[in-house]
């Protein structure tokens, strides 16, 4: 990415929540094995977000949703401070459908050249628990549906940023 230009990743929060829940369950992303005051079923995984204490004892889908909302608020608040021409959003759903087109769009938005061609599928990152899929969340559909309504305003704000 060009100096002074931010690139952010935004995608369908259902996919993100499903991946976060999968990651928590795997135990591979524990960041704070002995977090003082944390009495959750699992040790704290991923980013320690503002309001983490409020998530103590909640079911996994609420934990992932609270963590996502806090991180997204911090990210979007920061983006609000940047000129619109200094950042571009990467859409995970678009990366899944056509990685080359999405990378080309991002590069064009930030005025840099892209010098390679990706395959038709995203390569699996070493931190991935399972293969990326647009429908991955459906296996957790009931859990995820329980937390979507309270996320409404943040979902709308993230969708506006993703369309940037």
């Amino acid at each position: 990415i060009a100096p002074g230009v931010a690139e952010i990743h935004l995608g369908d929060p259902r996919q993100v929540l499903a991946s976060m829940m999968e990651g928590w369950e795997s135990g591979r992303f524990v960041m704070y094995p002995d977090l003082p005051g944390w009495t959750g079923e699992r040790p704290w995984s991923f980013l320690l977000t503002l309001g983490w204490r409020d998530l103590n004892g909640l079911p996994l889908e609420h934990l992932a949703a609270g963590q996502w909302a806090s991180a997204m608020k911090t990210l979007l608040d920061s983006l609000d401070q940047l000129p619109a021409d200094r950042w571009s959003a990467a859409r995970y759903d678009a990366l899944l459908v056509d990685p080359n087109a999405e990378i080309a769009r991002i590069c064009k938005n930030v005025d840099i050249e892209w010098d390679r061609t990706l395959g038709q599928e995203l390569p699996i990152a070493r931190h991935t628990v399972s293969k990326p899929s647009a429908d991955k969340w459906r296996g957790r559909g009931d859990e995820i549906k329980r937390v979507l309504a309270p996320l409404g305003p943040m979902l709308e704000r993230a969708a506006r940023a993703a369309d940037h």
Side-chain angles (χ1 to χ4, degrees):
I1 299 300
V5 176
E7 183 270 328
I8 62 165
H9 161 78
L10 296 170
D12 183 336
R14 296 172 303 182
Q15 294 168 344
V16 176
L17 293 174
S19 290
M20 288 175 69
M21 293 167 66
E22 185 178 60
W24 271 84
E25 290 171 338
S26 77
R28 291 177 38 201
F29 305 96
V30 173
M31 296 292 129
Y32 300 92
D34 298 310
L35 182 61
W38 178 250
T39 59
E41 182 179 328
R42 296 170 179 84
W44 188 271
S45 291
F46 301 117
L47 178 68
L48 186 62
T49 56
L50 294 172
W52 65 267
R53 287 178 182 88
D54 298 333
L55 303 173
N56 236 335
L58 294 179
L60 184 57
E61 67 270 19
H62 291 273
L63 174 57
Q67 198 174 28
W68 177 86
S70 178
M72 192 58 71
K73 180 182 182 328
T74 300
L75 171 71
L76 295 172
D77 287 350
S78 295
L79 288 176
D80 284 345
Q81 303 304 309
L82 292 174
D85 65 345
R86 300 306 299 165
W87 63 275
S88 181
R91 294 192 57 105
Y92 182 69
D93 51 352
L95 282 167
L96 286 177
V97 171
D98 189 346
N100 287 297
E102 181 64 357
I103 293 295
R105 184 191 65 77
I106 293 165
C107 289
K108 181 180 178 195
N109 285 352
V110 296
D111 197 28
I112 60 173
E113 297 289 324
W114 179 247
D115 63 354
R116 62 191 62 173
T117 300
L118 299 172
Q120 291 298 60
E121 292 186 357
L122 289 174
I124 296 178
R126 64 183 169 100
H127 298 295
T128 301
V129 176
S130 64
K131 183 179 177 181
S133 166
D135 292 328
K136 179 192 271 191
W137 69 272
R138 292 188 190 280
R140 298 179 174 272
D142 290 340
E143 296 165 285
I144 291 171
K145 286 176 187 172
R146 284 195 287 269
V147 297
L148 285 180
L151 295 177
M154 188 58 63
L155 293 170
E156 290 172 16
R157 190 174 173 205
R160 285 191 305 272
D163 289 338
H164 170 77

